Amino acid sequence: MLGASAICCRRARGRRSVCNAVRVVVTGGCGYIGSHTVLELLKAEYEVLVLDNLSRSRSSSIDRVLALAAREHHLAASDVNRRLAFKQVDLCDVKMLEDVLAGVKECDAVLHFAGYKSVGESMQKPDMYWDNNVGGFVNLMHLLEKYQVSNRVLLSSSCTVYKPSSEKISEDSELQPTCPYGDTKLKQEQILQCKIEDGRNWNGCALRYFNPAGAHNSGLLGEVPHALSPCMFIPRLGQIALGQRPNLEIFGKDYDTVDGTAIRDYLHIEDVAEAHVAALEHLKNSQGFDAFNLGTGHGHTVLEVLSAFETVCGRKLPHIFSERRDGDAPFAVANPSRAHLVLGWRAHRSLSEILASHWEFVQQNPDGFD
């Protein structure tokens, strides 16, 4: 593992001097969305310091990011190593976090991914979500200001901040979460917005994801379920196809949709990662607080996604129906036009590409990163 001091100023072959690159701090950078974004940041020639407590992720994801960055840009691993550092840090441990951030200088921005992210789990353990997601973010913001690390924050947020709607959701839609997870993401946004409105020269934005899924096109980086974290929908499909799980439990079959199952807007993880680089560029020339939906604008029911994945993997997947799950919305589809207008970003990859990339990943990595 590399410490923060491992980032140094050397010239990568045929590229601009690393000392002229922009340094960013990425919390939760070993996780699913964080690791894909770190890879995209390296491709964009950023220096990156990753902070992660590894409670629901693996440091081996960073090893794969390093390998992919080196391979895709024809650089020696040592050259990429100089632009990526990792520290195992828990944001809820103020002393540990302070020891790291006190030594970070000339940081251009902070990307905050760290946190728990399950709607269902948050309904069962709301205090755990508030302590971790909100408590950790408060600590981070306090220390960023105390040590003048950066006054520019890019926040990983969620469509769960919105009130459920039968129409596509825009950034102007009503904010009314229906689960503690959504409550904690909205509170993070409010904390950041209040900091900015206090007039202390802060700026930032929140990227409100709908349903990120899929894997890197190499098949080396993707979503790996963790023993302590609830397994998401598409990773569950992969486990069933591999025979690691007996069946798919579908929550609710009486929604007012074409087949009675809930509708979601799935977007490819590589599109999500690219959006963060676009948002960082936007932050360099903006003031105040902003929010952007990340989605495709197209929804699919649970049964439609199941059928599409069966086509991809070439087998039928057993499933059962259960009662609706508290906190779930029947319909969640983005109006992503603002991200396209302001950030110049658009999700380009299809549902079939999402599912095919995940299937390729789980076939190559049936036991995850182990």
Side-chain angles (χ1 to χ4, degrees):
M1 301 302 171
L2 298 172
S5 62
I7 300 180
C8 60
C9 297
R10 298 284 186 88
R11 182 173 296 278
R13 296 191 193 98
R15 309 187 72 84
R16 70 184 182 187
S17 174
V18 174
C19 61
N20 292 328
V22 178
R23 177 185 287 187
V24 293
V25 172
V26 179
T27 72
C30 294
Y32 173 49
I33 301 175
S35 61
H36 283 80
T37 302
V38 169
L39 176 58
E40 201 64 30
L41 290 168
L42 291 173
K43 288 165 61 178
E45 299 190 359
Y46 282 88
E47 289 184 2
V48 184
L49 170 60
V50 171
L51 308 181
D52 201 304
N53 67 2
L54 303 181
S55 65
R56 296 189 171 189
S57 60
R58 297 165 177 83
S59 61
S60 51
S61 65
I62 294 299
D63 297 330
R64 295 189 177 214
V65 165
L66 284 168
L68 284 168
R71 187 176 78 180
E72 291 186 359
H73 290 273
H74 308 291
L75 298 173
S78 58
D79 293 329
V80 181
N81 271 330
R82 296 186 184 104
R83 288 198 280 118
L84 177 62
F86 169 73
K87 284 285 189 180
Q88 186 170 348
V89 179
D90 188 338
L91 301 190
C92 293
D93 187 325
V94 177
K95 179 64 168 62
M96 180 187 295
L97 182 60
E98 186 164 20
D99 287 345
V100 172
L101 293 182
V104 176
K105 306 299 180 185
E106 300 179 357
C107 175
D108 190 67
V110 175
L111 290 79
H112 179 62
F113 295 97
Y116 300 146
K117 64 173 187 176
S118 167
V119 168
E121 183 183 49
S122 77
M123 298 296 290
Q124 299 168 356
K125 302 175 181 179
D127 290 345
M128 183 179 79
Y129 269 67
W130 277 92
D131 291 345
N132 186 74
N133 291 6
V134 178
F137 187 63
V138 168
N139 293 340
L140 176 66
M141 293 295 289
H142 169 67
L143 293 172
L144 292 180
E145 184 169 37
K146 179 177 179 179
Y147 292 102
Q148 299 182 337
V149 175
S150 179
N151 60 358
R152 189 175 291 153
V153 177
L154 178 54
L155 179 62
S156 166
S157 193
S158 166
C159 65
T160 56
V161 301
Y162 292 114
K163 179 180 180 179
S165 171
S166 59
E167 304 294 330
K168 290 184 180 181
I169 297 171
S170 72
E171 292 82 357
D172 295 326
S173 298
E174 186 175 354
L175 301 176
Q176 186 178 310
T178 60
C179 64
Y181 168 61
D183 287 332
T184 65
K185 301 311 290 185
L186 181 57
K187 179 56 67 176
Q188 288 179 344
E189 290 191 21
Q190 292 168 340
I191 290 168
L192 177 56
Q193 192 166 5
C194 285
K195 181 76 73 174
I196 291 168
E197 291 174 353
D198 279 347
R200 301 182 188 178
N201 201 34
W202 285 74
N203 74 319
C205 73
L207 298 183
R208 295 170 178 164
Y209 315 141
F210 277 67
N211 289 79
H216 188 266
N217 60 73
S218 65
L220 294 177
L221 196 65
E223 186 166 12
V224 177
H226 193 278
L228 297 179
S229 179
C231 187
M232 300 294 107
F233 173 39
I234 289 176
R236 287 203 305 270
L237 295 178
Q239 290 180 331
I240 297 164
L242 291 176
Q244 297 172 343
R245 183 184 288 261
N247 54 51
L248 174 69
E249 185 177 13
I250 299 174
F251 297 99
K253 60 177 181 178
D254 57 352
Y255 288 109
D256 186 18
T257 63
V258 65
D259 58 26
T261 61
I263 292 175
R264 294 292 181 268
D265 184 343
Y266 296 93
L267 69 158
H268 199 290
I269 187 62
E270 291 189 88
D271 284 324
V272 176
E274 290 165 2
H276 287 81
V277 175
L280 277 179
E281 290 301 310
H282 169 71
L283 281 179
K284 293 176 183 178
N285 302 298
S286 68
Q287 296 294 325
F289 176 82
D290 222 333
F292 300 95
N293 287 342
L294 298 188
T296 66
H298 304 287
H300 302 275
T301 70
V302 173
L303 288 179
E304 286 171 344
V305 177
L306 171 61
S307 176
F309 194 82
E310 288 176 335
T311 299
V312 166
C313 72
R315 64 202 68 178
K316 284 293 189 181
L317 304 182
H319 59 276
I320 59 173
F321 289 99
S322 296
E323 295 298 316
R324 294 186 185 187
R325 185 171 54 184
D326 289 343
D328 279 346
F331 179 91
V333 176
N335 175 350
S337 59
R338 190 161 188 277
H340 178 60
L341 179 66
V342 178
L343 303 181
W345 172 89
R346 178 177 286 160
H348 294 288
R349 299 163 179 89
S350 66
L351 178 65
S352 61
E353 289 175 283
I354 291 171
L355 300 179
S357 67
H358 182 72
W359 179 231
E360 178 63 27
F361 173 71
V362 297
Q363 288 182 101
Q364 287 190 38
N365 306 273
D367 299 316
F369 295 145
D370 297 332

